[in-house]
Amino acid sequence: MLISMWIVKDWMKNYEMDAVITHGEQDVKGFRLFSSYEEVSQHFIYAGQMRHFFPSAASGHIVLMHRNDIIQIKNADFVQVINQLMACFEFYEAWNTRLMIAACSQTPEQDITDLCREVIGPVQVIDLKMNLVAFTRGYQIGEVNPIWDNYIQNKSLSLQLIKALKEDEFLKRYSAVNHMYRFLAPAASPYVYGIMDSLFDEAGGLIGQIIYAYDHEITEKDIHIARMVSFAFHSVRGRKWEDYNHDISASILQEGLDQGSISRDHLKRLQIIQGITDADTFILCSICDPGKTADHLQDSVAQRIRRELDHGIVFPYKEYVLVCLKNDASLNRNLQRLIQDCKDLHMRIGKSYEIRDLSLIRHYFQQTVDSLLRGHGADQTLCDFRTIALETLMGAENNIYKRCCAHPAASALRGYDALHGSELTRTLHLFLKYNCSYLQTADMLHVHRNTVFSRIQKIRDLFQINLEDPDEREYLLVSLLVP
């Protein structure tokens, strides 16, 4: 969610202020208290008193600054201003999240327009035949303007009103491509001002217009808020609801793949769309064609796989088709279907470790790629990361990737100890270090040999590890050394 200084200025309109906003880019992610010791980010508003920005200033005015744009607030309490600024970001973040949830509903156009009443006002969506697709409900006949009244009564414009609007910018523009086009429609009094933004189908063809109506001259703040709504509309673009769920979920995961992290807000949206919780875990699979499938065939492969699975997020990424599966009772069934599909298509699968934090998806994607390059499995189709985990861990340079590649029992042991105040992690580390000697481990821990025996047995039972396997023991020992 990105806002601008224009939106902040409008939110603070009850304060006495001077504002110089020359750019007002809509790329503000949040705000920070100004510090001369902190590196200034292009994407934050910095708040402070005048003397914080200009040490020689005598004025106690409060300054909000973004790049070269400044809002100076006079005669106000600093804490109250900061609380108002925080409320501004919280309000628009919550509203924008509701817009994106509405875009995933069974009736997205109508649900999005309904949310506009509390922030914008009358909004309508029309197709190229000027038929009404959706409009903000709750306005009565005579409350907005004659155009609105016609839509409420007839779901389209009457011929009489079309003739009256003949010379208006509205009629000149409704069948053209518009990008936040401002227009004036005198026949639509008192809502004579408007913004028009076009809607397109999957192929990029024009299918309709979004009309935002105003009873005042349009400001930059109005444009920026309308962009937030248009983004929600453009996300739908006439797609089927089921397909849209996959598209928006895939775009959130791709954010993590491209940028190395996923914002908390986007993770929250993903949870809402997919019906998942913080406790859920996942498996990532990358599917590739040794013959390098063409990009347009990747879409066909993704569609086929999506149809076969009970659930999951499936999308093309680079030269792969990625499949993110929830680690639940249906996982094995979905993996078997995936393996069979890939056998039929003569493709191979790289399978990651269990993902507990989707914001780290880029590192687990790297596991799938490493698996395809060097891994092996029960057959030639599935390449499991587990088979190359130790050698990958020992060669990894990135600490985050090391933690992702470590034996799953290592992090599970640490979590158990933190929760129960136990010493299972240290016990296993010393046990492996001293070649599984109960006596030496007991001496190092200053406990009885039976205590060590009891702890090791508990570790076996809780985490299902095979300490008779020398490779497993080596892998565990290296993993426990990862910070």
Side-chain angles (χ1 to χ4, degrees):
M1 189 272 310
L2 301 174
I3 67 172
S4 69
M5 287 287 272
W6 295 109
I7 294 175
V8 172
K9 179 188 174 185
D10 182 76
W11 187 271
M12 300 287 189
K13 59 188 175 186
N14 292 330
Y15 288 100
E16 182 183 359
M17 70 172 75
D18 290 323
V20 179
I21 304 176
T22 56
H23 294 93
E25 294 93 342
Q26 192 173 359
D27 60 0
V28 180
K29 296 179 180 179
F31 77 92
R32 294 172 176 171
L33 298 180
F34 179 75
S35 167
S36 59
Y37 301 102
E38 181 181 57
E39 183 177 348
V40 175
S41 168
Q42 297 283 322
H43 300 293
F44 287 85
I45 293 172
Y46 287 85
Q49 294 182 325
M50 182 72 78
R51 64 177 181 273
H52 296 152
F53 292 89
F54 310 104
S56 61
S59 169
H61 293 171
I62 298 164
V63 174
L64 307 179
M65 181 180 291
H66 175 236
R67 300 184 186 180
N68 294 324
D69 298 330
I70 299 176
I71 297 174
Q72 184 182 174
I73 299 174
K74 307 174 182 177
N75 306 317
D77 180 79
F78 184 73
V79 174
Q80 289 181 354
V81 170
I82 294 303
N83 287 339
Q84 280 295 309
L85 189 58
M86 186 180 302
C88 175
F89 280 93
E90 288 176 349
F91 174 85
Y92 282 106
E93 181 176 358
W95 183 63
N96 189 58
T97 297
R98 290 165 64 196
L99 284 175
M100 298 312 298
I101 293 171
C104 302
S105 71
Q106 295 283 10
T107 54
E109 291 84 3
Q110 185 58 61
D111 292 348
I112 292 170
T113 56
D114 284 342
L115 287 171
C116 292
R117 185 174 184 183
E118 62 192 71
V119 176
I120 296 177
V123 174
Q124 59 192 12
V125 182
I126 59 173
D127 64 19
L128 294 185
K129 295 181 180 179
M130 301 196 79
N131 295 317
L132 185 65
V133 176
F135 70 102
T136 312
R137 291 177 290 198
Y139 292 99
Q140 303 301 315
I141 292 175
E143 189 176 353
V144 182
N145 57 41
I147 297 176
W148 199 263
D149 295 347
N150 262 250
Y151 276 131
I152 293 173
Q153 293 172 310
N154 309 316
K155 304 298 183 186
S156 63
L157 287 181
S158 67
L159 291 176
Q160 183 179 2
L161 190 55
I162 289 175
K163 290 177 182 177
L165 292 171
K166 188 175 180 180
E167 299 303 318
D168 280 357
E169 288 296 315
F170 175 80
L171 281 189
K172 292 178 181 178
R173 301 296 307 185
Y174 93 92
S175 59
V177 172
N178 301 282
H179 298 290
M180 289 294 148
Y181 179 81
R182 308 182 196 197
F183 67 91
L184 182 67
S189 179
Y191 284 78
V192 297
Y193 302 98
I195 299 172
M196 193 179 302
D197 198 45
S198 297
L199 283 170
F200 305 92
D201 61 17
E202 292 289 292
L206 181 66
I207 59 173
Q209 307 287 353
I210 313 165
I211 311 297
Y212 304 89
Y214 301 87
D215 60 358
H216 59 266
E217 285 195 48
I218 295 164
T219 65
E220 290 300 319
K221 182 267 296 188
D222 296 325
I223 291 286
H224 291 172
I225 292 177
R227 280 180 185 157
M228 296 165 73
V229 179
S230 288
F231 180 80
F233 276 123
H234 293 156
S235 299
V236 180
R237 295 207 294 185
R239 299 172 185 171
K240 293 181 180 178
W241 177 58
E242 296 86 354
D243 292 339
Y244 178 69
N245 265 353
H246 286 291
D247 288 346
I248 194 169
S249 298
S251 69
I252 291 172
L253 294 185
Q254 189 164 335
E255 174 189 335
L257 291 164
D258 292 340
Q259 300 179 18
S261 64
I262 302 175
S263 69
R264 187 176 65 175
D265 182 48
H266 284 181
L267 279 175
K268 187 188 304 179
R269 292 178 189 173
L270 183 65
Q271 288 180 332
I272 293 169
I273 294 166
Q274 293 292 326
I276 57 181
T277 68
D278 290 335
D280 289 322
T281 59
F282 306 85
I283 296 294
L284 185 68
C285 293
S286 289
I287 300 169
C288 80
D289 178 3
K292 302 295 182 184
T293 301
D295 289 346
H296 68 280
L297 294 180
Q298 281 182 285
D299 291 328
S300 300
V301 171
Q303 289 175 13
R304 168 172 171 166
I305 291 171
R306 190 180 296 128
R307 287 194 301 266
E308 294 293 326
L309 301 180
D310 292 336
H311 58 73
I313 306 170
V314 184
F315 61 101
Y317 182 72
K318 296 184 177 179
E319 65 265 37
Y320 306 94
V321 173
L322 300 193
V323 182
C324 185
L325 295 171
K326 189 175 177 181
N327 189 10
D328 58 13
S330 66
L331 177 62
N332 288 334
R333 182 169 63 252
N334 278 325
L335 281 175
Q336 290 307 312
R337 291 176 180 175
L338 187 61
I339 291 170
Q340 188 57 55
D341 272 345
C342 289
K343 282 182 177 178
D344 294 343
L345 296 167
H346 305 291
M347 304 182 85
R348 299 173 70 230
I349 306 166
K351 175 175 170 288
S352 77
Y353 263 162
E354 184 180 51
I355 305 173
R356 298 184 180 277
D357 181 358
L358 280 173
S359 67
L360 300 175
I361 191 170
R362 183 161 74 177
H363 298 286
Y364 289 94
F365 170 66
Q366 186 60 49
Q367 288 184 358
T368 68
V369 174
D370 289 342
S371 300
L372 287 166
L373 290 174
R374 307 193 310 275
H376 55 85
D379 54 40
Q380 294 299 311
T381 302
L382 180 66
C383 305
D384 198 321
F385 180 73
R386 179 175 290 275
T387 63
I388 59 164
L390 175 57
E391 61 177 287
T392 305
L393 172 60
M394 295 180 72
E397 297 181 357
N398 182 289
N399 284 336
I400 298 176
Y401 191 45
K402 281 184 179 180
R403 289 194 288 271
C404 293
C405 295
H407 196 296
S411 60
L413 274 165
R414 292 188 180 104
Y416 185 92
D417 284 344
L419 185 62
H420 297 90
S422 53
E423 285 192 285
L424 297 187
T425 305
R426 185 162 179 248
T427 300
L428 181 60
H429 177 216
L430 292 172
F431 184 72
L432 296 171
K433 180 179 178 180
Y434 292 105
N435 297 315
C436 300
S437 169
Y438 290 99
L439 186 58
Q440 283 186 280
T441 304
D443 287 342
M444 294 302 298
L445 291 171
H446 307 292
V447 297
H448 195 275
R449 179 180 181 279
N450 289 347
T451 301
V452 175
F453 182 84
S454 176
R455 290 180 184 178
I456 296 300
Q457 189 57 47
K458 188 173 187 178
I459 291 169
R460 293 177 195 265
D461 294 340
L462 285 175
F463 305 105
Q464 304 297 309
I465 55 178
N466 181 12
L467 295 180
E468 279 68 47
D469 184 343
D471 292 334
E472 182 94 342
R473 293 199 302 270
E474 182 183 9
Y475 182 23
L476 275 165
L477 180 59
V478 174
S479 297
L480 290 171
L481 295 174
V482 174

mmCIF file of all heavy atoms in Angstrom, residues 355-371:
data_model
loop_
_atom_site.group_PDB
_atom_site.id
_atom_site.type_symbol
_atom_site.label_atom_id
_atom_site.label_comp_id
_atom_site.label_asym_id
_atom_site.label_seq_id
_atom_site.Cartn_x
_atom_site.Cartn_y
_atom_site.Cartn_z
ATOM 1 N N ILE A 355 8.773 -25.556 4.236
ATOM 2 C CA ILE A 355 8.875 -24.102 4.400
ATOM 3 C C ILE A 355 8.001 -23.674 5.570
ATOM 4 O O ILE A 355 6.776 -23.873 5.554
ATOM 5 C CB ILE A 355 8.419 -23.364 3.124
ATOM 6 C CG1 ILE A 355 9.190 -23.860 1.898
ATOM 7 C CG2 ILE A 355 8.581 -21.859 3.290
ATOM 8 C CD1 ILE A 355 8.685 -23.299 0.587
ATOM 9 N N ARG A 356 8.612 -23.073 6.565
ATOM 10 C CA ARG A 356 7.860 -22.564 7.711
ATOM 11 C C ARG A 356 7.612 -21.069 7.610
ATOM 12 O O ARG A 356 6.749 -20.529 8.305
ATOM 13 C CB ARG A 356 8.598 -22.880 9.020
ATOM 14 C CG ARG A 356 8.768 -24.373 9.263
ATOM 15 C CD ARG A 356 9.415 -24.678 10.590
ATOM 16 N NE ARG A 356 9.559 -26.117 10.764
ATOM 17 C CZ ARG A 356 8.592 -26.922 11.199
ATOM 18 N NH1 ARG A 356 7.413 -26.406 11.524
ATOM 19 N NH2 ARG A 356 8.801 -28.220 11.322
ATOM 20 N N ASP A 357 8.351 -20.387 6.770
ATOM 21 C CA ASP A 357 8.219 -18.949 6.594
ATOM 22 C C ASP A 357 8.251 -18.636 5.102
ATOM 23 O O ASP A 357 9.301 -18.673 4.480
ATOM 24 C CB ASP A 357 9.357 -18.232 7.331
ATOM 25 C CG ASP A 357 9.275 -16.720 7.225
ATOM 26 O OD1 ASP A 357 8.357 -16.214 6.552
ATOM 27 O OD2 ASP A 357 10.133 -16.039 7.825
ATOM 28 N N LEU A 358 7.083 -18.331 4.525
ATOM 29 C CA LEU A 358 7.004 -18.115 3.083
ATOM 30 C C LEU A 358 7.794 -16.894 2.629
ATOM 31 O O LEU A 358 8.102 -16.773 1.439
ATOM 32 C CB LEU A 358 5.541 -17.975 2.649
ATOM 33 C CG LEU A 358 4.771 -19.292 2.481
ATOM 34 C CD1 LEU A 358 3.297 -19.016 2.220
ATOM 35 C CD2 LEU A 358 5.360 -20.130 1.350
ATOM 36 N N SER A 359 8.116 -15.985 3.554
ATOM 37 C CA SER A 359 8.915 -14.830 3.143
ATOM 38 C C SER A 359 10.325 -15.249 2.712
ATOM 39 O O SER A 359 11.037 -14.484 2.067
ATOM 40 C CB SER A 359 8.999 -13.800 4.268
ATOM 41 O OG SER A 359 9.731 -14.305 5.364
ATOM 42 N N LEU A 360 10.736 -16.484 3.062
ATOM 43 C CA LEU A 360 12.055 -17.004 2.667
ATOM 44 C C LEU A 360 11.967 -17.871 1.417
ATOM 45 O O LEU A 360 12.881 -18.654 1.143
ATOM 46 C CB LEU A 360 12.662 -17.821 3.814
ATOM 47 C CG LEU A 360 12.901 -17.079 5.130
ATOM 48 C CD1 LEU A 360 13.395 -18.056 6.191
ATOM 49 C CD2 LEU A 360 13.896 -15.947 4.940
ATOM 50 N N ILE A 361 10.908 -17.719 0.647
ATOM 51 C CA ILE A 361 10.664 -18.633 -0.473
ATOM 52 C C ILE A 361 11.796 -18.637 -1.485
ATOM 53 O O ILE A 361 12.058 -19.653 -2.142
ATOM 54 C CB ILE A 361 9.316 -18.300 -1.161
ATOM 55 C CG1 ILE A 361 8.940 -19.413 -2.148
ATOM 56 C CG2 ILE A 361 9.347 -16.928 -1.814
ATOM 57 C CD1 ILE A 361 7.537 -19.298 -2.693
ATOM 58 N N ARG A 362 12.515 -17.522 -1.633
ATOM 59 C CA ARG A 362 13.608 -17.500 -2.616
ATOM 60 C C ARG A 362 14.678 -18.523 -2.273
ATOM 61 O O ARG A 362 15.266 -19.151 -3.171
ATOM 62 C CB ARG A 362 14.220 -16.101 -2.700
ATOM 63 C CG ARG A 362 15.316 -16.009 -3.770
ATOM 64 C CD ARG A 362 15.599 -14.607 -4.191
ATOM 65 N NE ARG A 362 16.342 -13.867 -3.185
ATOM 66 C CZ ARG A 362 16.752 -12.614 -3.366
ATOM 67 N NH1 ARG A 362 16.470 -11.982 -4.482
ATOM 68 N NH2 ARG A 362 17.422 -11.990 -2.408
ATOM 69 N N HIS A 363 14.940 -18.722 -0.978
ATOM 70 C CA HIS A 363 15.968 -19.690 -0.573
ATOM 71 C C HIS A 363 15.485 -21.121 -0.812
ATOM 72 O O HIS A 363 16.277 -21.997 -1.184
ATOM 73 C CB HIS A 363 16.333 -19.474 0.885
ATOM 74 C CG HIS A 363 16.927 -18.118 1.148
ATOM 75 N ND1 HIS A 363 18.212 -17.789 0.778
ATOM 76 C CD2 HIS A 363 16.399 -17.006 1.713
ATOM 77 C CE1 HIS A 363 18.459 -16.539 1.120
ATOM 78 N NE2 HIS A 363 17.379 -16.039 1.688
ATOM 79 N N TYR A 364 14.202 -21.344 -0.621
ATOM 80 C CA TYR A 364 13.677 -22.691 -0.877
ATOM 81 C C TYR A 364 13.561 -22.959 -2.376
ATOM 82 O O TYR A 364 13.679 -24.101 -2.820
ATOM 83 C CB TYR A 364 12.335 -22.872 -0.162
ATOM 84 C CG TYR A 364 12.514 -22.955 1.339
ATOM 85 C CD1 TYR A 364 12.398 -21.825 2.138
ATOM 86 C CD2 TYR A 364 12.852 -24.155 1.947
ATOM 87 C CE1 TYR A 364 12.604 -21.885 3.513
ATOM 88 C CE2 TYR A 364 13.060 -24.231 3.318
ATOM 89 C CZ TYR A 364 12.936 -23.096 4.091
ATOM 90 O OH TYR A 364 13.143 -23.175 5.449
ATOM 91 N N PHE A 365 13.332 -21.903 -3.151
ATOM 92 C CA PHE A 365 13.394 -22.049 -4.614
ATOM 93 C C PHE A 365 14.800 -22.472 -5.025
ATOM 94 O O PHE A 365 14.973 -23.332 -5.898
ATOM 95 C CB PHE A 365 13.002 -20.739 -5.284
ATOM 96 C CG PHE A 365 13.260 -20.721 -6.775
ATOM 97 C CD1 PHE A 365 12.563 -21.558 -7.630
ATOM 98 C CD2 PHE A 365 14.221 -19.869 -7.309
ATOM 99 C CE1 PHE A 365 12.817 -21.539 -9.006
ATOM 100 C CE2 PHE A 365 14.481 -19.840 -8.668
ATOM 101 C CZ PHE A 365 13.769 -20.688 -9.526
ATOM 102 N N GLN A 366 15.821 -21.889 -4.390
ATOM 103 C CA GLN A 366 17.198 -22.280 -4.691
ATOM 104 C C GLN A 366 17.424 -23.753 -4.363
ATOM 105 O O GLN A 366 18.154 -24.452 -5.078
ATOM 106 C CB GLN A 366 18.184 -21.408 -3.910
ATOM 107 C CG GLN A 366 19.638 -21.647 -4.264
ATOM 108 C CD GLN A 366 19.940 -21.374 -5.715
ATOM 109 O OE1 GLN A 366 19.573 -20.322 -6.234
ATOM 110 N NE2 GLN A 366 20.585 -22.317 -6.389
ATOM 111 N N GLN A 367 16.788 -24.245 -3.302
ATOM 112 C CA GLN A 367 16.883 -25.673 -2.988
ATOM 113 C C GLN A 367 16.330 -26.525 -4.130
ATOM 114 O O GLN A 367 16.918 -27.553 -4.485
ATOM 115 C CB GLN A 367 16.116 -25.989 -1.704
ATOM 116 C CG GLN A 367 16.769 -25.489 -0.434
ATOM 117 C CD GLN A 367 16.014 -25.917 0.807
ATOM 118 O OE1 GLN A 367 14.970 -26.563 0.735
ATOM 119 N NE2 GLN A 367 16.541 -25.563 1.966
ATOM 120 N N THR A 368 15.207 -26.104 -4.689
ATOM 121 C CA THR A 368 14.619 -26.892 -5.793
ATOM 122 C C THR A 368 15.529 -26.884 -7.018
ATOM 123 O O THR A 368 15.661 -27.890 -7.706
ATOM 124 C CB THR A 368 13.232 -26.353 -6.173
ATOM 125 O OG1 THR A 368 13.342 -25.050 -6.772
ATOM 126 C CG2 THR A 368 12.305 -26.283 -4.966
ATOM 127 N N VAL A 369 16.163 -25.739 -7.265
ATOM 128 C CA VAL A 369 17.080 -25.649 -8.412
ATOM 129 C C VAL A 369 18.307 -26.524 -8.171
ATOM 130 O O VAL A 369 18.747 -27.261 -9.067
ATOM 131 C CB VAL A 369 17.486 -24.179 -8.657
ATOM 132 C CG1 VAL A 369 18.555 -24.093 -9.744
ATOM 133 C CG2 VAL A 369 16.272 -23.352 -9.043
ATOM 134 N N ASP A 370 18.872 -26.453 -6.949
ATOM 135 C CA ASP A 370 20.015 -27.302 -6.613
ATOM 136 C C ASP A 370 19.647 -28.779 -6.735
ATOM 137 O O ASP A 370 20.461 -29.596 -7.177
ATOM 138 C CB ASP A 370 20.491 -27.001 -5.192
ATOM 139 C CG ASP A 370 21.168 -25.644 -5.082
ATOM 140 O OD1 ASP A 370 21.577 -25.095 -6.123
ATOM 141 O OD2 ASP A 370 21.273 -25.130 -3.949
ATOM 142 N N SER A 371 18.421 -29.112 -6.332
ATOM 143 C CA SER A 371 17.972 -30.509 -6.422
ATOM 144 C C SER A 371 17.936 -30.980 -7.864
ATOM 145 O O SER A 371 18.354 -32.095 -8.185
ATOM 146 C CB SER A 371 16.577 -30.653 -5.802
ATOM 147 O OG SER A 371 16.579 -30.276 -4.453
#
